[in-house]
Amino acid sequence: MIVIAGIIILVFFSIQVFSLVSILLLGPAKSTDIKTFPKVSLLLAARNEEKLIIRSLEAIDQLDYPKKQLEILIGDDSSTDKTAAIVRDFIKGKPQYKLYSIDKTLGKGRGKANVLAQLALKADGDFYFITDVDVKLPKLWIKSMLQEFGEKVGIVSGTTMCDDGPRFAKLQSIDWLHFMGYIKAFARIGVGCTSVGNNMAVRAQAYWETGGYGKIDFSITEDYKLFEAVTKNGWQWRNVLSPDTLGKAWYIPDVGEMLHQRKRWLIGAQDLPLNWKAMLIIYGLFYVVLIYLGINYSDIAMSIWFMKYLIQTVFILVLCYQVDMRPFGYLELFLYEIYLVVNTIVAGIFYFLPIKSVWKGRRYSGAEVQDLN
């Protein structure tokens, strides 16, 4: 057992140290300097979002991009609240906005993927920008993402973290940035994971070569399925870590909703490449090993935990620097370590419980999506 524990710890720290070095070696973010302004379609799926839709639309309205070259297509996904009415009121006198009622299923599309599939059919842009209603976008988002599209690049994703709020929100914010840091660290050496479904852009040509969301096999994590389909067709990808591509998602207010979110992510992780599955397994096993060592070799366990905490803290602080934000406080980073341990263990247990993932008023199970209304 001690040999297996040693191997897991060695692999775990190899990943940690590599990720830190990779982020430290990142150069400064590119300056936003595009000379041409292609037609862009922003696709937004909305379902029962009356509390957050204005926050998102106001940020979209402030995007620094020629209005004649930007269309915003909003799909109302069978909302039962005031989402559609709020959107209609906001877009009056704004011809670049269009609202569509989505009440049918297109091909293999389900949930958000179904809405995006139908909005793409209405889109005229050379690039499709995709975000979520709970994300507040920075002004230079479109320009900063577009500058990453070289001739052979088909898909680009930015970085998302939770917006500021109470302590529970801050812990979620650290968690998002921490995870996004790993994606960028490996992206720097050409190891892809996924695009970020609430902060991504895809070349229209690359999208339609896949057949679109109506043809792609459905997954709870529809962003990864699109990333996989686009890259399989030979298109390159980019992942961006910069202040101008940093989306601020609204935080989850309670533990129950968070557990369903994590279960949805873990279900979607089944489609990830083998190397990323292995990393997730190593990450989970590290805590199992730490508990084992804590019972049998408490001094060694404490030393390993402190080393992990130190590397992790430096990694997160460097990420804060990369996105030009105020670093988190040391108390927050310490509480995050506790949050991370508890969240990993509880989410792992919840994943194996015979409970279907519920999200946005729908129950997800494999390729099935069931409305709860």
Side-chain angles (χ1 to χ4, degrees):
M1 179 63 185
I2 195 67
V3 174
I4 296 174
I7 293 172
I8 291 171
I9 290 170
L10 179 62
V11 174
F12 178 86
F13 277 111
S14 297
I15 294 170
Q16 299 290 299
V17 172
F18 164 79
S19 299
L20 175 57
V21 172
S22 182
I23 293 297
L24 285 169
L25 291 176
L26 280 178
K30 294 180 182 178
S31 59
T32 306
D33 185 26
I34 60 173
K35 304 298 183 183
T36 58
F37 300 95
K39 183 69 178 288
V40 166
S41 301
L42 196 159
L43 313 183
L44 187 65
R47 176 176 168 81
N48 294 339
E49 297 285 5
E50 63 180 8
K51 294 180 180 178
L52 293 175
I53 190 75
I54 285 296
R55 174 177 176 270
S56 174
L57 292 176
E58 287 178 345
I60 289 171
D61 213 41
Q62 295 299 313
L63 290 173
D64 183 8
Y65 201 77
K67 283 185 167 49
K68 290 184 178 180
Q69 293 300 98
L70 173 63
E71 62 176 4
I72 299 99
L73 310 182
I74 305 161
D76 175 34
D77 187 10
S78 303
S79 296
T80 56
D81 64 1
K82 298 178 182 178
T83 297
I86 292 171
V87 172
R88 279 193 292 268
D89 185 62
F90 183 87
I91 68 177
K92 284 179 182 177
K94 299 173 181 175
Q96 71 271 30
Y97 289 83
K98 294 185 175 72
L99 173 65
Y100 297 96
S101 178
I102 308 297
D103 54 11
K104 296 180 181 179
T105 298
L106 179 64
K108 297 180 179 180
R110 300 290 186 274
K112 178 185 174 182
N114 178 55
V115 179
L116 295 177
Q118 298 191 49
L119 291 180
L121 289 172
K122 309 286 187 182
D124 293 327
D126 299 311
F127 297 89
Y128 302 156
F129 278 66
I130 301 172
T131 186
D132 283 350
V133 168
D134 66 340
V135 175
K136 182 179 180 181
L137 300 165
K139 289 184 178 181
L140 294 176
W141 182 58
I142 293 178
K143 289 181 178 179
S144 297
M145 297 279 273
L146 278 177
Q147 69 183 354
E148 300 294 328
F149 277 99
E151 183 179 350
K152 296 181 180 180
V153 175
I155 193 164
V156 174
S157 65
T159 301
T160 305
M161 62 185 296
C162 288
D163 209 344
D164 199 12
R167 181 149 286 161
F168 189 47
K170 289 183 184 297
L171 296 176
Q172 292 176 55
S173 189
I174 299 172
D175 202 27
W176 274 74
L177 186 62
H178 187 192
F179 175 72
M180 294 285 174
Y182 287 129
I183 293 179
K184 180 58 183 178
F186 281 87
R188 198 185 69 83
I189 61 167
V191 178
C193 174
T194 184
S195 279
V196 183
N198 58 18
N199 191 337
M200 63 185 287
V202 58
R203 189 184 295 271
Q205 179 186 347
Y207 175 84
W208 288 113
E209 284 182 5
T210 71
Y213 274 124
K215 298 289 186 182
I216 297 172
D217 289 338
F218 173 73
S219 169
I220 290 177
T221 48
E222 82 291 327
D223 45 2
Y224 172 70
K225 298 303 286 187
L226 181 60
F227 174 84
E228 180 185 46
V230 168
T231 53
K232 275 187 176 179
N233 282 338
W235 290 96
Q236 297 176 9
W237 53 273
R238 296 289 184 270
N239 181 275
V240 192
L241 180 69
S242 72
D244 293 330
T245 60
L246 180 66
K248 295 290 187 72
W250 196 249
Y251 54 89
I252 293 178
D254 61 76
V255 174
E257 189 174 343
M258 171 175 284
L259 288 175
H260 278 283
Q261 180 197 59
R262 298 307 164 100
K263 183 160 189 166
R264 184 173 65 95
W265 289 352
L266 288 171
I267 292 171
Q270 296 173 13
D271 294 325
L272 290 175
L274 183 60
N275 58 330
W276 282 97
K277 287 180 182 177
M279 285 177 59
L280 290 173
I281 291 171
I282 289 293
Y283 195 88
L285 288 177
F286 173 81
Y287 290 104
V288 176
V289 169
L290 203 60
I291 292 170
Y292 164 77
L293 292 176
I295 295 171
N296 297 281
Y297 311 94
S298 58
D299 291 346
I300 295 175
M302 284 299 296
S303 298
I304 291 172
W305 170 81
F306 180 74
M307 188 182 303
K308 179 257 188 187
Y309 172 71
L310 183 61
I311 296 172
Q312 175 181 290
T313 297
V314 174
F315 183 61
I316 293 168
L317 292 175
V318 172
L319 291 172
C320 290
Y321 170 78
Q322 290 289 345
V323 296
D324 193 24
M325 65 172 287
R326 182 186 65 81
F328 295 102
Y330 290 108
L331 175 60
E332 293 168 344
L333 291 168
F334 176 75
L335 292 175
Y336 171 64
E337 175 62 16
I338 299 171
Y339 165 94
L340 193 57
V341 173
V342 174
N343 202 341
T344 300
I345 294 172
V346 175
I349 294 171
F350 190 75
Y351 170 74
F352 287 105
L353 293 178
I355 300 172
K356 294 180 180 180
S357 175
V358 177
W359 193 249
K360 302 287 186 182
R362 287 192 170 113
R363 182 181 289 115
Y364 289 83
S365 178
E368 298 180 3
V369 181
Q370 176 187 359
D371 282 345
L372 298 179
N373 300 322

Short mmCIF file of all heavy atoms in Angstrom, two decimals, residues 165-201:
data_model
loop_
_atom_site.label_atom_id
_atom_site.label_comp_id
_atom_site.label_asym_id
_atom_site.label_seq_id
_atom_site.Cartn_x
_atom_site.Cartn_y
_atom_site.Cartn_z
N GLY A 165 -18.70 38.18 -4.11
CA GLY A 165 -19.90 38.01 -3.31
C GLY A 165 -19.54 37.59 -1.91
O GLY A 165 -18.43 37.83 -1.44
N PRO A 166 -20.44 36.92 -1.20
CA PRO A 166 -20.15 36.44 0.15
C PRO A 166 -19.05 35.39 0.12
O PRO A 166 -18.58 34.97 -0.94
CB PRO A 166 -21.48 35.84 0.61
CG PRO A 166 -22.24 35.57 -0.64
CD PRO A 166 -21.81 36.61 -1.62
N ARG A 167 -18.64 34.94 1.30
CA ARG A 167 -17.49 34.04 1.39
C ARG A 167 -17.66 32.76 0.56
O ARG A 167 -16.73 32.29 -0.08
CB ARG A 167 -17.21 33.69 2.85
CG ARG A 167 -16.02 32.78 3.05
CD ARG A 167 -15.34 33.06 4.36
NE ARG A 167 -14.57 34.28 4.33
CZ ARG A 167 -14.18 34.94 5.41
NH1 ARG A 167 -14.52 34.50 6.61
NH2 ARG A 167 -13.47 36.04 5.31
N PHE A 168 -18.86 32.20 0.55
CA PHE A 168 -19.12 31.01 -0.25
C PHE A 168 -18.87 31.30 -1.73
O PHE A 168 -18.35 30.47 -2.47
CB PHE A 168 -20.55 30.53 -0.02
CG PHE A 168 -20.86 29.19 -0.62
CD1 PHE A 168 -20.01 28.10 -0.46
CD2 PHE A 168 -22.03 29.00 -1.36
CE1 PHE A 168 -20.30 26.86 -1.01
CE2 PHE A 168 -22.33 27.76 -1.90
CZ PHE A 168 -21.47 26.69 -1.73
N ALA A 169 -19.21 32.50 -2.16
CA ALA A 169 -18.96 32.91 -3.55
C ALA A 169 -17.46 33.04 -3.81
O ALA A 169 -16.97 32.65 -4.88
CB ALA A 169 -19.66 34.24 -3.84
N LYS A 170 -16.72 33.60 -2.85
CA LYS A 170 -15.27 33.74 -3.02
C LYS A 170 -14.60 32.38 -3.16
O LYS A 170 -13.66 32.20 -3.96
CB LYS A 170 -14.68 34.50 -1.84
CG LYS A 170 -15.03 35.99 -1.80
CD LYS A 170 -14.35 36.68 -0.65
CE LYS A 170 -14.77 38.15 -0.55
NZ LYS A 170 -14.36 38.92 -1.74
N LEU A 171 -15.06 31.41 -2.38
CA LEU A 171 -14.48 30.07 -2.47
C LEU A 171 -14.76 29.46 -3.83
O LEU A 171 -13.89 28.80 -4.42
CB LEU A 171 -15.05 29.19 -1.35
CG LEU A 171 -14.69 29.62 0.08
CD1 LEU A 171 -15.38 28.73 1.10
CD2 LEU A 171 -13.17 29.61 0.29
N GLN A 172 -15.95 29.68 -4.35
CA GLN A 172 -16.26 29.20 -5.70
C GLN A 172 -15.40 29.90 -6.74
O GLN A 172 -14.97 29.30 -7.72
CB GLN A 172 -17.74 29.43 -6.00
CG GLN A 172 -18.69 28.59 -5.18
CD GLN A 172 -20.14 28.94 -5.47
OE1 GLN A 172 -20.58 28.92 -6.60
NE2 GLN A 172 -20.88 29.28 -4.42
N SER A 173 -15.17 31.19 -6.52
CA SER A 173 -14.35 31.97 -7.46
C SER A 173 -12.93 31.43 -7.51
O SER A 173 -12.35 31.26 -8.59
CB SER A 173 -14.35 33.44 -7.02
OG SER A 173 -13.75 34.25 -8.01
N ILE A 174 -12.35 31.14 -6.35
CA ILE A 174 -11.01 30.55 -6.31
C ILE A 174 -11.02 29.21 -7.02
O ILE A 174 -10.10 28.88 -7.79
CB ILE A 174 -10.53 30.37 -4.85
CG1 ILE A 174 -10.47 31.72 -4.13
CG2 ILE A 174 -9.15 29.71 -4.81
CD1 ILE A 174 -10.19 31.61 -2.64
N ASP A 175 -12.05 28.42 -6.77
CA ASP A 175 -12.15 27.09 -7.35
C ASP A 175 -12.18 27.14 -8.87
O ASP A 175 -11.49 26.37 -9.56
CB ASP A 175 -13.41 26.41 -6.80
CG ASP A 175 -13.35 24.90 -6.88
OD1 ASP A 175 -12.22 24.34 -6.87
OD2 ASP A 175 -14.40 24.25 -6.95
N TRP A 176 -13.00 28.03 -9.41
CA TRP A 176 -13.08 28.17 -10.87
C TRP A 176 -11.72 28.58 -11.46
O TRP A 176 -11.26 27.99 -12.44
CB TRP A 176 -14.13 29.22 -11.23
CG TRP A 176 -15.53 28.69 -11.31
CD1 TRP A 176 -16.33 28.33 -10.27
CD2 TRP A 176 -16.29 28.49 -12.51
NE1 TRP A 176 -17.55 27.92 -10.75
CE2 TRP A 176 -17.56 28.00 -12.11
CE3 TRP A 176 -16.04 28.67 -13.86
CZ2 TRP A 176 -18.56 27.69 -13.02
CZ3 TRP A 176 -17.05 28.37 -14.77
CH2 TRP A 176 -18.28 27.88 -14.35
N LEU A 177 -11.10 29.60 -10.86
CA LEU A 177 -9.82 30.07 -11.38
C LEU A 177 -8.76 28.98 -11.27
O LEU A 177 -7.95 28.80 -12.19
CB LEU A 177 -9.38 31.32 -10.61
CG LEU A 177 -8.13 32.03 -11.14
CD1 LEU A 177 -8.35 32.54 -12.56
CD2 LEU A 177 -7.74 33.19 -10.23
N HIS A 178 -8.77 28.26 -10.18
CA HIS A 178 -7.83 27.16 -9.96
C HIS A 178 -7.95 26.12 -11.08
O HIS A 178 -6.96 25.73 -11.71
CB HIS A 178 -8.14 26.53 -8.60
CG HIS A 178 -7.16 25.50 -8.16
ND1 HIS A 178 -7.41 24.65 -7.10
CD2 HIS A 178 -5.94 25.14 -8.63
CE1 HIS A 178 -6.39 23.84 -6.93
NE2 HIS A 178 -5.48 24.12 -7.84
N PHE A 179 -9.18 25.69 -11.36
CA PHE A 179 -9.40 24.68 -12.41
C PHE A 179 -9.03 25.22 -13.78
O PHE A 179 -8.40 24.53 -14.59
CB PHE A 179 -10.87 24.23 -12.38
CG PHE A 179 -11.23 23.30 -13.50
CD1 PHE A 179 -10.77 21.99 -13.50
CD2 PHE A 179 -12.02 23.73 -14.56
CE1 PHE A 179 -11.09 21.13 -14.55
CE2 PHE A 179 -12.34 22.87 -15.60
CZ PHE A 179 -11.88 21.57 -15.59
N MET A 180 -9.43 26.48 -14.06
CA MET A 180 -9.10 27.08 -15.35
C MET A 180 -7.58 27.18 -15.53
O MET A 180 -7.06 27.08 -16.65
CB MET A 180 -9.73 28.47 -15.46
CG MET A 180 -11.22 28.48 -15.50
SD MET A 180 -11.85 27.94 -17.09
CE MET A 180 -13.60 27.89 -16.73
N GLY A 181 -6.88 27.36 -14.44
CA GLY A 181 -5.42 27.43 -14.51
C GLY A 181 -4.81 26.14 -15.02
O GLY A 181 -3.86 26.15 -15.81
N TYR A 182 -5.37 25.00 -14.59
CA TYR A 182 -4.86 23.71 -15.08
C TYR A 182 -5.10 23.57 -16.58
O TYR A 182 -4.24 23.07 -17.32
CB TYR A 182 -5.55 22.56 -14.34
CG TYR A 182 -5.10 22.40 -12.91
CD1 TYR A 182 -6.03 22.31 -11.87
CD2 TYR A 182 -3.75 22.33 -12.58
CE1 TYR A 182 -5.63 22.17 -10.55
CE2 TYR A 182 -3.35 22.19 -11.26
CZ TYR A 182 -4.29 22.11 -10.26
OH TYR A 182 -3.89 21.96 -8.95
N ILE A 183 -6.29 23.97 -17.03
CA ILE A 183 -6.58 23.89 -18.47
C ILE A 183 -5.57 24.71 -19.26
O ILE A 183 -5.02 24.24 -20.27
CB ILE A 183 -8.02 24.39 -18.75
CG1 ILE A 183 -9.04 23.44 -18.13
CG2 ILE A 183 -8.25 24.51 -20.25
CD1 ILE A 183 -10.48 23.87 -18.35
N LYS A 184 -5.28 25.94 -18.78
CA LYS A 184 -4.34 26.79 -19.50
C LYS A 184 -2.91 26.26 -19.40
O LYS A 184 -2.14 26.33 -20.37
CB LYS A 184 -4.40 28.22 -18.93
CG LYS A 184 -3.45 29.19 -19.61
CD LYS A 184 -3.71 29.28 -21.11
CE LYS A 184 -2.72 30.21 -21.80
NZ LYS A 184 -2.95 30.26 -23.26
N ALA A 185 -2.54 25.72 -18.25
CA ALA A 185 -1.18 25.20 -18.07
C ALA A 185 -0.87 24.11 -19.09
O ALA A 185 0.22 24.08 -19.68
CB ALA A 185 -1.00 24.67 -16.65
N PHE A 186 -1.82 23.22 -19.30
CA PHE A 186 -1.59 22.13 -20.26
C PHE A 186 -1.82 22.60 -21.70
O PHE A 186 -1.17 22.10 -22.62
CB PHE A 186 -2.48 20.93 -19.92
CG PHE A 186 -1.92 20.11 -18.79
CD1 PHE A 186 -2.21 20.42 -17.47
CD2 PHE A 186 -1.07 19.04 -19.05
CE1 PHE A 186 -1.68 19.67 -16.42
CE2 PHE A 186 -0.53 18.29 -18.01
CZ PHE A 186 -0.84 18.61 -16.70
N ALA A 187 -2.72 23.57 -21.87
CA ALA A 187 -2.93 24.11 -23.22
C ALA A 187 -1.66 24.76 -23.75
O ALA A 187 -1.40 24.74 -24.96
CB ALA A 187 -4.07 25.13 -23.20
N ARG A 188 -0.85 25.30 -22.86
CA ARG A 188 0.38 25.98 -23.28
C ARG A 188 1.33 25.04 -24.00
O ARG A 188 2.11 25.46 -24.85
CB ARG A 188 1.09 26.59 -22.06
CG ARG A 188 2.12 27.66 -22.40
CD ARG A 188 2.85 28.12 -21.16
NE ARG A 188 3.71 27.07 -20.64
CZ ARG A 188 4.95 26.82 -21.11
NH1 ARG A 188 5.45 27.55 -22.10
NH2 ARG A 188 5.68 25.87 -20.58
N ILE A 189 1.26 23.73 -23.70
CA ILE A 189 2.12 22.76 -24.38
C ILE A 189 1.32 21.92 -25.39
O ILE A 189 1.77 20.87 -25.84
CB ILE A 189 2.84 21.84 -23.38
CG1 ILE A 189 1.84 21.03 -22.55
CG2 ILE A 189 3.77 22.63 -22.50
CD1 ILE A 189 2.48 19.89 -21.78
N GLY A 190 0.11 22.38 -25.72
CA GLY A 190 -0.67 21.72 -26.76
C GLY A 190 -1.51 20.55 -26.32
O GLY A 190 -2.00 19.79 -27.15
N VAL A 191 -1.70 20.40 -25.00
CA VAL A 191 -2.55 19.32 -24.49
C VAL A 191 -3.93 19.91 -24.22
O VAL A 191 -4.12 20.67 -23.28
CB VAL A 191 -1.98 18.69 -23.21
CG1 VAL A 191 -2.92 17.61 -22.68
CG2 VAL A 191 -0.60 18.11 -23.48
N GLY A 192 -4.90 19.57 -25.06
CA GLY A 192 -6.23 20.14 -24.95
C GLY A 192 -7.10 19.38 -23.97
O GLY A 192 -6.93 18.19 -23.75
N CYS A 193 -8.05 20.07 -23.41
CA CYS A 193 -9.02 19.45 -22.51
C CYS A 193 -10.42 19.69 -23.06
O CYS A 193 -11.11 18.77 -23.45
CB CYS A 193 -8.89 20.01 -21.11
SG CYS A 193 -10.14 19.44 -19.95
N THR A 194 -10.83 20.93 -23.09
CA THR A 194 -12.15 21.29 -23.55
C THR A 194 -12.19 22.79 -23.81
O THR A 194 -11.26 23.51 -23.46
CB THR A 194 -13.22 20.92 -22.50
OG1 THR A 194 -14.52 21.21 -23.02
CG2 THR A 194 -13.00 21.68 -21.20
N SER A 195 -13.26 23.24 -24.42
CA SER A 195 -13.55 24.66 -24.42
C SER A 195 -14.44 24.96 -23.23
O SER A 195 -15.00 24.05 -22.63
CB SER A 195 -14.25 25.05 -25.72
OG SER A 195 -13.31 25.22 -26.77
N VAL A 196 -14.56 26.21 -22.91
CA VAL A 196 -15.35 26.62 -21.75
C VAL A 196 -16.70 27.09 -22.28
O VAL A 196 -16.80 28.12 -22.93
CB VAL A 196 -14.65 27.73 -20.96
CG1 VAL A 196 -15.45 28.11 -19.73
CG2 VAL A 196 -13.24 27.28 -20.59
N GLY A 197 -17.75 26.32 -21.99
CA GLY A 197 -19.04 26.53 -22.63
C GLY A 197 -19.69 27.87 -22.37
O GLY A 197 -20.57 28.28 -23.13
N ASN A 198 -19.28 28.58 -21.33
CA ASN A 198 -19.85 29.91 -21.08
C ASN A 198 -18.92 31.03 -21.51
O ASN A 198 -19.16 32.19 -21.19
CB ASN A 198 -20.24 30.06 -19.60
CG ASN A 198 -19.06 29.86 -18.67
OD1 ASN A 198 -17.90 29.93 -19.09
ND2 ASN A 198 -19.33 29.61 -17.41
N ASN A 199 -17.86 30.67 -22.24
CA ASN A 199 -16.87 31.67 -22.64
C ASN A 199 -16.08 31.13 -23.82
O ASN A 199 -14.92 30.78 -23.70
CB ASN A 199 -15.96 31.98 -21.46
CG ASN A 199 -15.07 33.19 -21.67
OD1 ASN A 199 -14.80 33.58 -22.81
ND2 ASN A 199 -14.59 33.78 -20.60
N MET A 200 -16.72 31.04 -24.98
CA MET A 200 -16.06 30.41 -26.12
C MET A 200 -16.52 31.03 -27.43
O MET A 200 -17.54 31.70 -27.50
CB MET A 200 -16.32 28.90 -26.13
CG MET A 200 -17.78 28.52 -26.29
SD MET A 200 -18.08 26.73 -26.17
CE MET A 200 -17.41 26.17 -27.73
N ALA A 201 -15.72 30.81 -28.46
CA ALA A 201 -16.06 31.26 -29.80
C ALA A 201 -15.62 30.18 -30.78
O ALA A 201 -14.59 29.54 -30.60
CB ALA A 201 -15.36 32.58 -30.12
#
